[in-house]
Amino acid sequence: MPLTLRGLGAAGLAAAACVLAQAADRPIAAIQGSGAASPLQGQVVSTTGVVTAVLAGSFHLQDPVGDGDARTSEGLQVHARARQGLVPGMRVRVTGRVVEWAPRGAAPGTGTTQLDEVSGIELLGPAPRPVEPLALRLPLPAGHDLERHEGMLVRLLGPLTVLRNDLLGRYGQLTLAAGGRQQIPTDLQRPGPAALRLARQQAALRIVLDDGRSSTHPSPVPFLHADGTLRAGETTAEAVGVLDQGPIGLQAGGAQGWRLQAVQPPVFQRPQPRPGTPPAVGGELRVASFNLLNYFTRPNPQRGADNAEELARQQAKLVAALQAIGADVLGLMEIENQPQAPQHLADALNAVMGAGTYAAVPQAAFTGTDAIQVALLYRPARLRRLGAPATDADPVHHRPPLAQRFQPVDGGEPFTVIVNHFKSKRCGDAQGADADQADGQGCFNARRVAQARALAGFVQRQGPQALVIGDLNAYAQEDPLQRLRQAGLVDLLQQHAPGAHTYVHDGAAGRLDHALAS
């Protein structure tokens, strides 16, 4: 077929012809080079290859023969809006400028080698044989990296496990990993060298599977089962696609990484059905903690639901979940810092479960310095309050812990429940000892350690049989939990449910929420 020059006037055709005459023919491997960036960056070149994928705004070429150098990739991304007639298996000759594309804010060396400013695409007919995907298994052998396969069609061998699905509906992205589900490093190892070493090992096992579309909120959402779901922990035997680097999500300056642009949908297997009710754990009373994710009694766009419709939906979901848990004591986090807010939620529960099913432990007019607080609900038919609730006045707590002593109505042994919500890991205005110390604990670890120290003293003042629950914003092996264990508190999840998790962050599971007993 003749060379195709699209959208050019007479002057443009003449200029393009001049560019094409000056463009040097380069094999794909020479364009890619053996380093992180192309040695031909900025040059106008022509190259020939077989189309392996046609994506949103680009297509990929691959040299089916190659140069025999394992350090150089045989694949290349071509950024071109006009892609008529391009299908996988077609041989083409392309002319364009070599660039290293990277999103704004990306780290040096994380760009993708591309041909941009394409001035010509010549269709050369079907290739004699299709390009076979290169079989890879994560982690790569020592001394190897994915850079040498950038732009190539690869088959990642599994089993690969779904780690993260929260970006799927908005960006069409799934995080997969070889070696099964991953746990937060500081949930398993003490902060510092051991946790950081584990984090590097985990990163080498991960890849992001992308649907190949650049638009947000893809419709239909890719990779889902027929029932419209896809759960973390599901597995697939393999994933086939072309490799590139780019944003995980689309936030400028956000996370970057290696992505596999899928050319065929993987088949996911669900290892176990989702339970409809919490498992039986024995005992006579059930105590649970629950983060309400900014539950306000009225719409609050700054922290909670944007409007009345969103608030109604949030409340309905919370009521359904709390009803299913059916705890005798509920320790709540992220509820509006107003005295009527806990009873407001109790009333919503009672409207579904029956009048008087839950009551709120009374709160002061305003506690701490945050717009949200902790709270306690309980079942009066099962428990009665002994005395007034207590909060810790230590100013280190911006969301002070709340304690209430209970006794079963049948005269059983009294016990105290203390609900907590420590300072989060978000950096914000963190300075000095509160800044990220690069040991895996994030920002404000020093503040959380001080809060743990104050909490240990507060627990002692509440008398025997105390149960400490809530979101401590620290994983199991981090300093705040170490401090509480050193104070004599027993980590109940570590003792009775090792490996359990309460939270998933960037695909890794861990325990930010805890239950400890005196």
Side-chain angles (χ1 to χ4, degrees):
M1 282 190 173
L3 186 68
T4 303
L5 298 171
R6 300 184 178 93
L8 299 177
L13 285 170
C18 179
V19 169
L20 293 173
Q22 296 174 355
D25 278 307
R26 300 288 188 184
I28 290 175
I31 297 172
Q32 282 283 5
S34 59
S38 170
L40 304 181
Q41 189 171 352
Q43 297 184 29
V44 176
V45 301
S46 294
T47 194
T48 301
V50 178
V51 176
T52 55
V54 181
L55 307 175
S58 68
F59 64 95
H60 280 72
L61 288 181
Q62 189 160 327
D63 185 341
V65 178
D67 66 347
D69 186 347
R71 299 172 302 166
T72 58
S73 171
E74 307 298 342
L76 182 65
Q77 187 179 53
V78 181
H79 182 260
R81 294 186 180 277
R83 301 181 302 284
Q84 295 91 334
L86 294 174
V87 293
M90 176 71 69
R91 288 185 69 243
V92 300
R93 182 174 184 265
V94 182
T95 300
R97 188 176 302 279
V98 180
V99 300
E100 288 293 328
W101 179 87
R104 181 162 50 92
T110 59
T112 296
T113 302
Q114 287 184 345
L115 281 190
D116 201 357
E117 301 176 24
V118 172
S119 52
I121 299 174
E122 186 177 1
L123 308 181
L124 303 177
R129 59 183 182 275
V131 174
E132 290 296 326
L134 175 68
L136 296 176
R137 192 181 297 275
L138 299 176
L140 297 180
H144 291 237
D145 58 29
L146 290 175
E147 179 68 37
R148 62 181 62 194
H149 307 301
E150 180 186 83
M152 292 179 63
L153 182 66
V154 303
R155 173 178 281 108
L156 281 183
L157 302 177
L160 300 168
T161 301
V162 177
L163 297 185
R164 183 179 185 186
N165 58 12
D166 60 303
L167 297 176
L168 184 58
R170 187 172 183 184
Y171 300 118
Q173 294 179 333
L174 279 176
T175 302
L176 307 178
R181 294 198 70 170
Q182 295 183 352
Q183 202 161 343
I184 292 285
T186 52
D187 223 37
L188 300 172
Q189 303 284 350
R190 286 287 291 144
L196 298 177
R197 181 167 55 251
L198 178 56
R200 291 191 295 270
Q201 293 168 352
Q202 290 177 339
L205 295 167
R206 290 195 297 265
I207 191 78
V208 170
L209 183 68
D210 198 292
D211 68 346
R213 291 177 283 185
S214 59
S215 59
T216 59
H217 303 95
S219 181
V221 177
F223 312 133
L224 298 180
H225 294 289
D227 66 356
T229 65
L230 184 69
R231 296 178 58 202
E234 296 191 18
T235 60
T236 184
E238 63 178 26
V240 181
V242 290
L243 279 171
D244 72 357
Q245 293 187 80
I248 311 306
L250 294 180
Q251 289 183 328
Q256 316 291 321
W258 283 101
R259 307 179 302 185
L260 187 69
Q261 302 289 346
V263 299
Q264 62 188 50
V267 177
F268 288 101
Q269 302 296 324
R270 182 165 290 174
Q272 59 187 17
R274 182 173 185 166
T277 58
V281 296
E284 297 178 359
L285 294 169
R286 178 175 292 178
V287 180
S289 68
F290 198 105
N291 192 313
L292 303 176
L293 294 178
N294 290 306
Y295 175 70
F296 285 71
T297 59
R298 292 172 294 180
N300 186 324
Q302 283 71 44
R303 293 291 291 265
D306 289 345
N307 52 55
E309 181 182 2
E310 286 291 321
L311 178 58
R313 188 166 70 166
Q314 179 190 24
Q315 180 174 292
K317 291 174 68 175
L318 292 175
V319 167
L322 295 173
Q323 180 183 10
I325 292 170
D328 299 297
V329 180
L330 284 166
L332 305 176
M333 289 129 290
E334 296 199 18
I335 189 168
E336 184 179 11
N337 195 348
Q338 293 293 339
Q340 75 278 8
Q343 188 59 50
H344 185 275
L345 182 58
D347 292 341
L349 276 165
N350 294 342
V352 174
M353 301 178 68
T357 302
Y358 279 102
V361 170
Q363 299 275 87
F366 193 87
T367 64
T369 59
D370 203 342
I372 52 177
Q373 63 179 342
V374 297
L376 286 166
L377 304 185
Y378 71 101
R379 288 178 178 259
R382 300 273 285 157
L383 298 165
R384 61 188 180 91
R385 294 194 299 115
L386 297 180
T391 60
D392 188 1
D394 191 319
V396 73
H397 299 297
H398 62 304
R399 297 183 284 248
L402 174 66
Q404 176 64 62
R405 195 154 185 82
F406 295 101
Q407 185 175 33
V409 294
D410 60 7
E413 193 169 1
F415 64 99
T416 300
V417 177
I418 306 170
V419 60
N420 304 268
H421 190 185
F422 282 8
K423 178 71 175 175
S424 78
K425 293 175 178 287
R426 293 190 182 92
C427 288
D429 57 351
Q431 300 179 30
D434 279 332
D436 192 337
Q437 303 300 305
D439 60 359
Q441 299 186 94
C443 288
F444 290 104
N445 181 61
R447 182 83 56 88
R448 288 189 294 275
V449 171
Q451 289 175 333
R453 186 180 301 111
L455 174 61
F458 182 63
V459 172
Q460 288 184 338
R461 297 194 295 272
Q462 303 315 305
Q465 301 289 86
L467 181 63
V468 174
I469 60 174
D471 180 357
L472 303 185
N473 272 312
Y475 292 105
Q477 299 305 317
E478 294 183 6
D479 295 339
L481 270 297
Q482 286 287 94
R483 180 68 185 82
L484 292 173
R485 286 190 287 261
Q486 290 167 359
L489 292 173
V490 176
D491 187 335
L492 297 179
L493 287 180
Q494 185 179 66
Q495 185 177 79
H496 296 288
H501 68 275
T502 70
Y503 188 71
V504 177
H505 177 68
D506 287 349
R511 288 197 284 134
L512 283 181
D513 310 274
H514 301 271
L516 303 105
S518 64

